[in-house]
Amino acid sequence: MLWNTQSYTGWGRALSAEGELARPERAAALAELYAHPAIGARRSYGDACLNSTGAAVDMTRLDRILSFDATTGLVEAEAGVPVGELARLFAPLGWMPTVMPGTGFATIGGCIAMDVHGKNHHVDGSFGNHVTAIKLMVAGKPKTITPKRNAALFKATVGGLGQTGIIASATLQMSRCEGEGMEVTEQRAENWEEHIALLSSSQAR
Ligand SMILES: Cc1cc2nc3c(=O)[nH]c(=O)nc-3n(C[C@H](O)[C@H](O)[C@H](O)COP(=O)(O)OP(=O)(O)OC[C@H]3O[C@@H](n4cnc5c(N)ncnc54)[C@H](O)[C@@H]3O)c2cc1C
């Protein structure tokens, strides 16, 4: 594996790290890289994606869709796939990721490791609620973990900041959507209290 010494930052650009980065193109390469932390698209605001004392594995080239079921909306994707790419590919087919953060550049691995929230948190919960399986690199081998199989490890991996190992790929339950367009309903509030009350009572997804 080729390692490059690089200076890199997270989204906030206030902090930076200098260290060796590997950028594998094939999932098979993770067998020798598993002991290093993984980073995604570096869209974290703070220093979560910076390993200032060592090497890291940049997952952004592992960006393949591995399977998709048009009937159930289940998609299996490598961890480096940007979440917005899922929307771009599948919304025209009537499916989109159930939870999407405010940036489409965040990778599937990053969305799981930070258990990101979307604007529908009050009805659909966070990203991890819609992950049905994760392939996690454990001792150099991919191990499939689900909310029921290896449940404790699954729970620790969702929102676990990558500390349980490299997420190689994951299966997500997408939600039905009408298509690529978005229908917007506008509601005006007279004051702050009314604004908060409208947000609190919203069931909009
Ligand atoms: C404009 C903007 C809007 C945003 N809006 C929201 C929002 O609405 N809701 C929200 O929750 N967040 C939001 N975020 C934050 C962002 O979605 C998260 O920080 C997300 O985790 C970034 O994903 P990433 O691929 O860039 O991960 P990185 O920033 O590269 O890494 C984040 C963490 O994930 C770990 N990680 C990444 N990939 C893997 C992997 N394959 N295996 C194991 N661990 C891994 C890293 O070690 C690190 O701890 C926003 C960010 C921006 C820039």
Side-chain angles (χ1 to χ4, degrees):
M1 179 54 56
L2 191 64
W3 290 91
N4 274 320
T5 303
Q6 279 185 40
S7 177
Y8 59 101
T9 70
W11 177 253
R13 297 202 179 164
L15 303 165
S16 65
E18 186 161 318
E20 285 193 306
L21 292 183
R23 204 163 166 245
E25 204 178 342
R26 302 272 163 208
L30 298 177
E32 61 168 285
L33 297 171
Y34 76 93
H36 302 287
I39 57 173
R42 300 175 212 162
R43 258 37 184 204
S44 294
Y45 299 121
D47 62 356
C49 58
L50 305 179
N51 188 16
S52 47
T53 55
V57 182
D58 178 333
M59 298 292 287
T60 52
R61 276 165 97 189
L62 292 170
D63 60 354
R64 296 170 189 83
I65 305 295
L66 302 174
S67 68
F68 167 63
D69 185 328
T71 314
T72 61
L74 280 173
V75 62
E76 186 184 8
E78 287 184 334
V81 172
V83 68
E85 189 63 6
L86 291 183
R88 191 186 69 80
L89 289 171
F90 296 114
L93 304 177
W95 294 99
M96 66 182 291
T98 305
V99 170
M100 294 191 73
T103 172
F105 292 109
T107 63
I108 301 302
C111 287
I112 295 173
M114 300 290 261
D115 196 13
V116 298
H117 64 85
K119 311 311 165 200
N120 53 346
H121 190 75
H122 55 300
V123 278
D124 289 321
S126 55
F127 197 86
N129 294 123
H130 310 280
V131 178
T132 60
I134 295 172
K135 269 200 186 120
L136 187 72
M137 296 306 295
V138 178
K141 292 198 180 113
K143 183 180 179 123
T144 301
I145 57 175
T146 75
K148 290 200 174 133
R149 202 155 104 208
N150 304 299
L153 188 54
F154 184 90
K155 215 171 168 185
T157 299
V158 174
L161 296 171
Q163 298 296 296
T164 57
I166 297 181
I167 297 162
S169 59
T171 306
L172 314 177
Q173 176 64 64
M174 293 195 286
S175 286
R176 276 273 179 212
C177 67
E178 298 286 328
E180 290 170 278
M182 186 187 285
E183 197 180 292
V184 176
T185 309
E186 192 182 283
Q187 269 179 289
R188 298 212 167 207
E190 290 299 320
N191 52 46
W192 177 250
E193 282 71 29
E194 193 185 331
H195 175 72
I196 294 297
L198 280 172
L199 286 177
S200 299
S201 63
S202 171
Q203 288 302 310
R205 297 183 65 221

